[in-house]
Amino acid sequence: MAPTRILTVCTGNVCRSPMAAVELDHGLNEVSPGGFAVTSAGMHALVDQGFEERVGRLAHDRGLEAAAAHRARQVGPEVLRDVDLVLVMAREHTQPVLQQAPRLLKKVFTLREFARILQYVSTDAELDAAVPADRAERWAWLVRQAPRLRQRVPVRHPERNDVVDPYRQEDTVLQQMADELFEATDAVVAWERRYAQRHRASAGTGAAAG
């Protein structure tokens, strides 16, 4: 079964988007092994550069060994061709992505917005009950539902949809990025864990009954 393909996007592809990618790839595949392929790219990528040094240390401290192999790459039609979902780090990245791939109109969200949508699904009884058991079907369902659900999770301050850019900024900005980004990635992984565990529990109960 093909994995769900997620692309994270920021500006230079050396701070926010690669951190989100390695965090999500590690967390989601830990829950559902082989179920996800999460990669990253930048709108103005510092091509072939690795993680910004401080962000790389942050990734290392979180045990994300894949971070060492990262090399920045540019967003382009080839990168966008086969993705199922695009998670941009800030609102400013949305239109440049859509200009290159209009077909992704209903599949591009900021990371923080998408995390709130998932949390909303878990707290709405009707939606919660409708989440498919199969991993591929679950994420296809989610991507179909997300465009209309974004209207149910508005924020008073739109900048709260963004993850702040720490590139060449003070350490306080780096910490802000970490707080914003990890809160969102943790929510995405927790959502998958909730429904994967529910599916496994249901399958186990069915097997026992048989």
Side-chain angles (χ1 to χ4, degrees):
M1 184 182 299
T4 299
R5 296 157 298 188
I6 302 172
L7 177 71
T8 62
V9 174
C10 68
T11 303
N13 195 215
V14 294
C15 296
R16 294 170 290 176
S17 61
M19 175 61 84
V22 295
E23 182 81 7
L24 289 173
D25 196 65
H26 174 80
L28 291 171
N29 283 301
E30 188 173 58
V31 174
S32 299
F36 298 87
V38 190
T39 57
S40 68
M43 296 310 309
H44 301 285
L46 301 176
V47 176
D48 290 335
Q49 290 192 23
F51 269 83
E52 190 270 346
E53 182 180 0
R54 297 172 304 160
V55 182
R57 287 199 300 268
L58 186 61
H60 179 269
D61 291 345
R62 291 179 68 86
L64 301 170
E65 297 179 1
H70 170 71
R71 293 296 178 268
R73 62 175 182 162
Q74 180 69 29
V75 171
E78 288 292 327
V79 172
L80 295 167
R81 176 168 296 169
D82 296 321
V83 297
D84 300 304
L85 174 68
V86 179
L87 299 176
V88 299
M89 298 299 106
R91 292 162 293 157
E92 67 189 59
H93 304 124
T94 299
Q95 285 305 315
V97 167
L98 292 177
Q99 286 171 3
Q100 296 192 45
R103 70 171 186 83
L104 294 172
L105 177 62
K106 295 183 179 181
K107 297 183 178 183
V108 180
F109 304 85
T110 71
L111 172 64
R112 297 178 75 188
E113 175 187 43
F114 190 72
R116 289 198 307 276
I117 290 171
L118 268 59
Q119 291 170 320
Y120 178 84
V121 169
S122 300
T123 58
D124 182 282
E126 183 177 352
L127 288 168
D128 178 66
V131 177
D134 177 78
R135 186 272 311 164
E137 293 178 7
R138 179 163 60 244
W139 279 77
W141 175 89
L142 176 61
V143 172
R144 290 195 304 270
Q145 296 294 321
R148 70 179 183 85
L149 294 179
R150 75 195 326 163
Q151 304 303 320
R152 302 189 190 182
V153 291
V155 291
R156 181 174 299 180
H157 303 289
E159 64 272 13
R160 292 183 181 173
N161 282 326
D162 302 342
V163 174
V164 69
D165 187 357
Y167 187 66
R168 293 182 175 174
Q169 299 296 317
E170 297 178 355
D171 287 348
T172 54
V173 181
L174 176 67
Q175 185 58 55
Q176 182 183 347
M177 180 215 74
D179 292 343
E180 294 171 348
L181 190 149
F182 294 139
E183 180 181 33
T185 55
D186 286 350
V188 175
V189 173
W191 190 89
E192 173 60 12
R193 182 179 296 111
R194 173 186 177 91
Y195 295 103
Q197 289 178 343
R198 187 166 79 179
H199 171 52
R200 286 192 286 266
S202 175
T205 300

